[in-house]
């Protein structure tokens, strides 16, 4: 009887151990599957969060350089426009030939005789100082130039200026002596009136024709020679009793020929 109870107890113990092992074996795969699923779920969520952050970072990285590039591009455009404008101004100033200016600076009376009789007349000699101003970046060469002095449209004197050359951006001084008389005027009532009043108004006129050679200063290096004419038109007021030239007024008229 005791043996039978011992055997039955042993069998019950063995049966309990077997069931415990079976339950452990059944629980282990479920735990492994659960752990794997949790791990996979964590990886998926991590990847999704990374994917969501990457576009935002990409947008930020593309937006900032784009704004910076636009400002730099605008600055470069403005700088380019300034350079182009300065270049155009430089080319216009340098490569567009300008007209020289021909002017009477002063007139001194060296000798003066006049009469107020029934046949009024005058005879005088002037020492005139004139200038030719060349504003070009190259020399200006002009030919023989005649300067005429007229009284009320009638020529009373003339002087010839020899041909010469004016250096770049410089002024050439010219001294000339002129003899004037009223032989061509004849019996003019205006002359009688002016002589009695003691003042004569004379007009000085000339057309100086030449060529401007840009960016050149030597005789052999003539570059882009352009014809230019400087027209001179001045008026003089002569005080006969004082033998002085009181007023000189010049106006410039330049033409291209």
């Amino acid at each position: 009887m005791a043996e039978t109870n011992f055997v039955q107890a042993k069998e019950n113990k063995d049966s309990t151990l077997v069931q415990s092992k079976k339950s452990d074996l059944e629980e282990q795969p479920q735990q492994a599957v659960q752990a794997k699923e949790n791990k996979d779920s964590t990886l998926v969520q991590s990847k999704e969060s990374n994917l969501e952050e990457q576009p935002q970072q990409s947008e930020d990285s593309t937006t900032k350089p784009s704004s910076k590039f636009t400002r730099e591009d605008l600055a470069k455009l403005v700088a380019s426009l300034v350079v182009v404008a300065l270049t155009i101004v430089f080319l216009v100033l340098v490569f567009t030939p300008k007209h020289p200016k021909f002017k009477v600076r002063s007139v001194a009376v060296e000798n003066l005789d006049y009469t107020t009789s029934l046949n009024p007349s005058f005879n005088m000699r002037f020492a005139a100082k004139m200038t030719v101003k060349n504003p070009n970046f190259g020399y200006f060469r002009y030919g023989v130039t005649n300067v005429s002095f007229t009284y009320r449209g009638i020529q009373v004197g003339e002087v010839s200026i020899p041909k010469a050359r004016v250096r770049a951006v410089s002024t050439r001084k010219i001294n000339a002596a002129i003899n004037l008389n009223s032989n061509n005027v004849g019996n003019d009532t205006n002359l009688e009136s002016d002589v009695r009043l003691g003042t004569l108004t004379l007009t000085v006129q000339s057309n100086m024709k030449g060529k401007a050679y840009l960016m050149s200063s030597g005789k052999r290096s003539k570059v882009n020679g352009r014809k230019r004419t400087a027209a001179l038109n001045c008026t003089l007021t002569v005080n006969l009793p004082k033998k002085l030239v009181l007023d000189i007024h010049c106006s410039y008229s330049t033409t291209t020929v």
Side-chain angles (χ1 to χ4, degrees), residues 49-66:
S49 63
N50 291 334
L51 290 175
E52 289 177 355
E53 291 176 355
Q54 285 180 357
Q56 186 175 0
Q57 293 176 356
S58 178
E59 289 177 0
D60 295 339
S61 62
T62 55
T63 301
K64 291 181 180 178
S66 176

PDB file of all heavy atoms in Angstrom, residues 49-66:
ATOM      1  N   SER A  49      10.097  59.035 -37.873  1.00  0.00           N
ATOM      2  CA  SER A  49      10.466  60.339 -37.311  1.00  0.00           C
ATOM      3  C   SER A  49      11.662  60.933 -38.048  1.00  0.00           C
ATOM      4  O   SER A  49      11.720  62.137 -38.300  1.00  0.00           O
ATOM      5  CB  SER A  49      10.784  60.190 -35.822  1.00  0.00           C
ATOM      6  OG  SER A  49      11.897  59.341 -35.632  1.00  0.00           O
ATOM      7  N   ASN A  50      12.632  60.057 -38.439  1.00  0.00           N
ATOM      8  CA  ASN A  50      13.787  60.561 -39.201  1.00  0.00           C
ATOM      9  C   ASN A  50      13.373  61.085 -40.558  1.00  0.00           C
ATOM     10  O   ASN A  50      13.871  62.092 -41.044  1.00  0.00           O
ATOM     11  CB  ASN A  50      14.840  59.452 -39.362  1.00  0.00           C
ATOM     12  CG  ASN A  50      15.504  59.101 -38.040  1.00  0.00           C
ATOM     13  OD1 ASN A  50      15.568  59.940 -37.136  1.00  0.00           O
ATOM     14  ND2 ASN A  50      15.974  57.871 -37.907  1.00  0.00           N
ATOM     15  N   LEU A  51      12.440  60.343 -41.196  1.00  0.00           N
ATOM     16  CA  LEU A  51      11.957  60.786 -42.503  1.00  0.00           C
ATOM     17  C   LEU A  51      11.204  62.100 -42.406  1.00  0.00           C
ATOM     18  O   LEU A  51      11.263  62.935 -43.316  1.00  0.00           O
ATOM     19  CB  LEU A  51      11.052  59.710 -43.123  1.00  0.00           C
ATOM     20  CG  LEU A  51      11.748  58.422 -43.570  1.00  0.00           C
ATOM     21  CD1 LEU A  51      10.722  57.399 -44.046  1.00  0.00           C
ATOM     22  CD2 LEU A  51      12.751  58.726 -44.696  1.00  0.00           C
ATOM     23  N   GLU A  52      10.472  62.297 -41.314  1.00  0.00           N
ATOM     24  CA  GLU A  52       9.737  63.546 -41.152  1.00  0.00           C
ATOM     25  C   GLU A  52      10.683  64.712 -40.886  1.00  0.00           C
ATOM     26  O   GLU A  52      10.457  65.826 -41.321  1.00  0.00           O
ATOM     27  CB  GLU A  52       8.755  63.419 -39.983  1.00  0.00           C
ATOM     28  CG  GLU A  52       7.570  62.500 -40.307  1.00  0.00           C
ATOM     29  CD  GLU A  52       6.657  62.348 -39.097  1.00  0.00           C
ATOM     30  OE1 GLU A  52       7.024  62.880 -38.024  1.00  0.00           O
ATOM     31  OE2 GLU A  52       5.598  61.713 -39.240  1.00  0.00           O
ATOM     32  N   GLU A  53      11.784  64.461 -40.167  1.00  0.00           N
ATOM     33  CA  GLU A  53      12.720  65.523 -39.858  1.00  0.00           C
ATOM     34  C   GLU A  53      13.580  65.894 -41.055  1.00  0.00           C
ATOM     35  O   GLU A  53      13.935  67.054 -41.243  1.00  0.00           O
ATOM     36  CB  GLU A  53      13.631  65.104 -38.698  1.00  0.00           C
ATOM     37  CG  GLU A  53      12.880  65.018 -37.367  1.00  0.00           C
ATOM     38  CD  GLU A  53      13.782  64.518 -36.261  1.00  0.00           C
ATOM     39  OE1 GLU A  53      14.950  64.165 -36.573  1.00  0.00           O
ATOM     40  OE2 GLU A  53      13.344  64.476 -35.105  1.00  0.00           O
ATOM     41  N   GLN A  54      13.912  64.911 -41.902  1.00  0.00           N
ATOM     42  CA  GLN A  54      14.796  65.175 -43.034  1.00  0.00           C
ATOM     43  C   GLN A  54      14.211  66.176 -44.028  1.00  0.00           C
ATOM     44  O   GLN A  54      14.900  67.088 -44.471  1.00  0.00           O
ATOM     45  CB  GLN A  54      15.156  63.857 -43.738  1.00  0.00           C
ATOM     46  CG  GLN A  54      16.174  63.034 -42.963  1.00  0.00           C
ATOM     47  CD  GLN A  54      16.498  61.744 -43.674  1.00  0.00           C
ATOM     48  OE1 GLN A  54      15.921  61.449 -44.721  1.00  0.00           O
ATOM     49  NE2 GLN A  54      17.416  60.983 -43.104  1.00  0.00           N
ATOM     50  N   PRO A  55      12.926  66.064 -44.447  1.00  0.00           N
ATOM     51  CA  PRO A  55      12.391  67.071 -45.367  1.00  0.00           C
ATOM     52  C   PRO A  55      12.403  68.463 -44.771  1.00  0.00           C
ATOM     53  O   PRO A  55      12.663  69.432 -45.457  1.00  0.00           O
ATOM     54  CB  PRO A  55      10.965  66.590 -45.634  1.00  0.00           C
ATOM     55  CG  PRO A  55      10.975  65.145 -45.323  1.00  0.00           C
ATOM     56  CD  PRO A  55      11.968  64.955 -44.248  1.00  0.00           C
ATOM     57  N   GLN A  56      12.107  68.566 -43.457  1.00  0.00           N
ATOM     58  CA  GLN A  56      12.104  69.872 -42.840  1.00  0.00           C
ATOM     59  C   GLN A  56      13.500  70.481 -42.847  1.00  0.00           C
ATOM     60  O   GLN A  56      13.691  71.650 -43.147  1.00  0.00           O
ATOM     61  CB  GLN A  56      11.583  69.758 -41.414  1.00  0.00           C
ATOM     62  CG  GLN A  56      11.411  71.119 -40.715  1.00  0.00           C
ATOM     63  CD  GLN A  56      10.789  70.973 -39.358  1.00  0.00           C
ATOM     64  OE1 GLN A  56      10.496  69.840 -38.944  1.00  0.00           O
ATOM     65  NE2 GLN A  56      10.582  72.086 -38.685  1.00  0.00           N
ATOM     66  N   GLN A  57      14.491  69.603 -42.497  1.00  0.00           N
ATOM     67  CA  GLN A  57      15.864  70.083 -42.545  1.00  0.00           C
ATOM     68  C   GLN A  57      16.270  70.458 -43.963  1.00  0.00           C
ATOM     69  O   GLN A  57      16.973  71.418 -44.201  1.00  0.00           O
ATOM     70  CB  GLN A  57      16.816  69.025 -41.988  1.00  0.00           C
ATOM     71  CG  GLN A  57      16.624  68.779 -40.489  1.00  0.00           C
ATOM     72  CD  GLN A  57      17.518  67.671 -39.992  1.00  0.00           C
ATOM     73  OE1 GLN A  57      18.222  67.033 -40.785  1.00  0.00           O
ATOM     74  NE2 GLN A  57      17.489  67.427 -38.681  1.00  0.00           N
ATOM     75  N   SER A  58      15.812  69.654 -44.937  1.00  0.00           N
ATOM     76  CA  SER A  58      16.134  69.935 -46.332  1.00  0.00           C
ATOM     77  C   SER A  58      15.528  71.250 -46.780  1.00  0.00           C
ATOM     78  O   SER A  58      16.144  72.043 -47.476  1.00  0.00           O
ATOM     79  CB  SER A  58      15.639  68.788 -47.220  1.00  0.00           C
ATOM     80  OG  SER A  58      15.895  69.062 -48.563  1.00  0.00           O
ATOM     81  N   GLU A  59      14.241  71.482 -46.321  1.00  0.00           N
ATOM     82  CA  GLU A  59      13.600  72.736 -46.688  1.00  0.00           C
ATOM     83  C   GLU A  59      14.339  73.918 -46.089  1.00  0.00           C
ATOM     84  O   GLU A  59      14.546  74.939 -46.723  1.00  0.00           O
ATOM     85  CB  GLU A  59      12.149  72.718 -46.213  1.00  0.00           C
ATOM     86  CG  GLU A  59      11.265  71.762 -47.019  1.00  0.00           C
ATOM     87  CD  GLU A  59       9.847  71.733 -46.462  1.00  0.00           C
ATOM     88  OE1 GLU A  59       9.611  72.457 -45.461  1.00  0.00           O
ATOM     89  OE2 GLU A  59       9.015  71.016 -47.016  1.00  0.00           O
ATOM     90  N   ASP A  60      14.753  73.769 -44.810  1.00  0.00           N
ATOM     91  CA  ASP A  60      15.474  74.856 -44.176  1.00  0.00           C
ATOM     92  C   ASP A  60      16.798  75.121 -44.864  1.00  0.00           C
ATOM     93  O   ASP A  60      17.186  76.259 -45.093  1.00  0.00           O
ATOM     94  CB  ASP A  60      15.724  74.529 -42.695  1.00  0.00           C
ATOM     95  CG  ASP A  60      14.409  74.450 -41.917  1.00  0.00           C
ATOM     96  OD1 ASP A  60      13.414  75.025 -42.412  1.00  0.00           O
ATOM     97  OD2 ASP A  60      14.397  73.806 -40.837  1.00  0.00           O
ATOM     98  N   SER A  61      17.502  74.005 -45.205  1.00  0.00           N
ATOM     99  CA  SER A  61      18.804  74.174 -45.831  1.00  0.00           C
ATOM    100  C   SER A  61      18.701  74.762 -47.219  1.00  0.00           C
ATOM    101  O   SER A  61      19.594  75.454 -47.677  1.00  0.00           O
ATOM    102  CB  SER A  61      19.536  72.822 -45.881  1.00  0.00           C
ATOM    103  OG  SER A  61      18.793  71.908 -46.663  1.00  0.00           O
ATOM    104  N   THR A  62      17.601  74.479 -47.927  1.00  0.00           N
ATOM    105  CA  THR A  62      17.435  75.046 -49.274  1.00  0.00           C
ATOM    106  C   THR A  62      16.889  76.452 -49.232  1.00  0.00           C
ATOM    107  O   THR A  62      17.199  77.276 -50.079  1.00  0.00           O
ATOM    108  CB  THR A  62      16.502  74.158 -50.106  1.00  0.00           C
ATOM    109  OG1 THR A  62      15.266  73.986 -49.399  1.00  0.00           O
ATOM    110  CG2 THR A  62      17.134  72.812 -50.368  1.00  0.00           C
ATOM    111  N   THR A  63      16.094  76.756 -48.217  1.00  0.00           N
ATOM    112  CA  THR A  63      15.493  78.088 -48.144  1.00  0.00           C
ATOM    113  C   THR A  63      16.536  79.143 -47.788  1.00  0.00           C
ATOM    114  O   THR A  63      16.610  80.189 -48.423  1.00  0.00           O
ATOM    115  CB  THR A  63      14.371  78.098 -47.090  1.00  0.00           C
ATOM    116  OG1 THR A  63      13.391  77.127 -47.456  1.00  0.00           O
ATOM    117  CG2 THR A  63      13.732  79.493 -47.024  1.00  0.00           C
ATOM    118  N   LYS A  64      17.355  78.894 -46.798  1.00  0.00           N
ATOM    119  CA  LYS A  64      18.334  79.880 -46.384  1.00  0.00           C
ATOM    120  C   LYS A  64      19.342  80.199 -47.469  1.00  0.00           C
ATOM    121  O   LYS A  64      19.559  81.351 -47.795  1.00  0.00           O
ATOM    122  CB  LYS A  64      19.049  79.394 -45.115  1.00  0.00           C
ATOM    123  CG  LYS A  64      18.122  79.391 -43.902  1.00  0.00           C
ATOM    124  CD  LYS A  64      18.869  78.933 -42.671  1.00  0.00           C
ATOM    125  CE  LYS A  64      17.945  78.923 -41.446  1.00  0.00           C
ATOM    126  NZ  LYS A  64      18.622  78.445 -40.237  1.00  0.00           N
ATOM    127  N   PRO A  65      19.980  79.205 -48.098  1.00  0.00           N
ATOM    128  CA  PRO A  65      20.899  79.547 -49.182  1.00  0.00           C
ATOM    129  C   PRO A  65      20.210  80.259 -50.326  1.00  0.00           C
ATOM    130  O   PRO A  65      20.783  81.092 -50.982  1.00  0.00           O
ATOM    131  CB  PRO A  65      21.455  78.192 -49.617  1.00  0.00           C
ATOM    132  CG  PRO A  65      21.302  77.326 -48.420  1.00  0.00           C
ATOM    133  CD  PRO A  65      20.053  77.789 -47.756  1.00  0.00           C
ATOM    134  N   SER A  66      18.945  79.929 -50.600  1.00  0.00           N
ATOM    135  CA  SER A  66      18.236  80.583 -51.697  1.00  0.00           C
ATOM    136  C   SER A  66      18.103  82.071 -51.426  1.00  0.00           C
ATOM    137  O   SER A  66      18.333  82.909 -52.281  1.00  0.00           O
ATOM    138  CB  SER A  66      16.858  79.937 -51.874  1.00  0.00           C
ATOM    139  OG  SER A  66      16.128  80.606 -52.872  1.00  0.00           O
TER     140      SER A  66
END
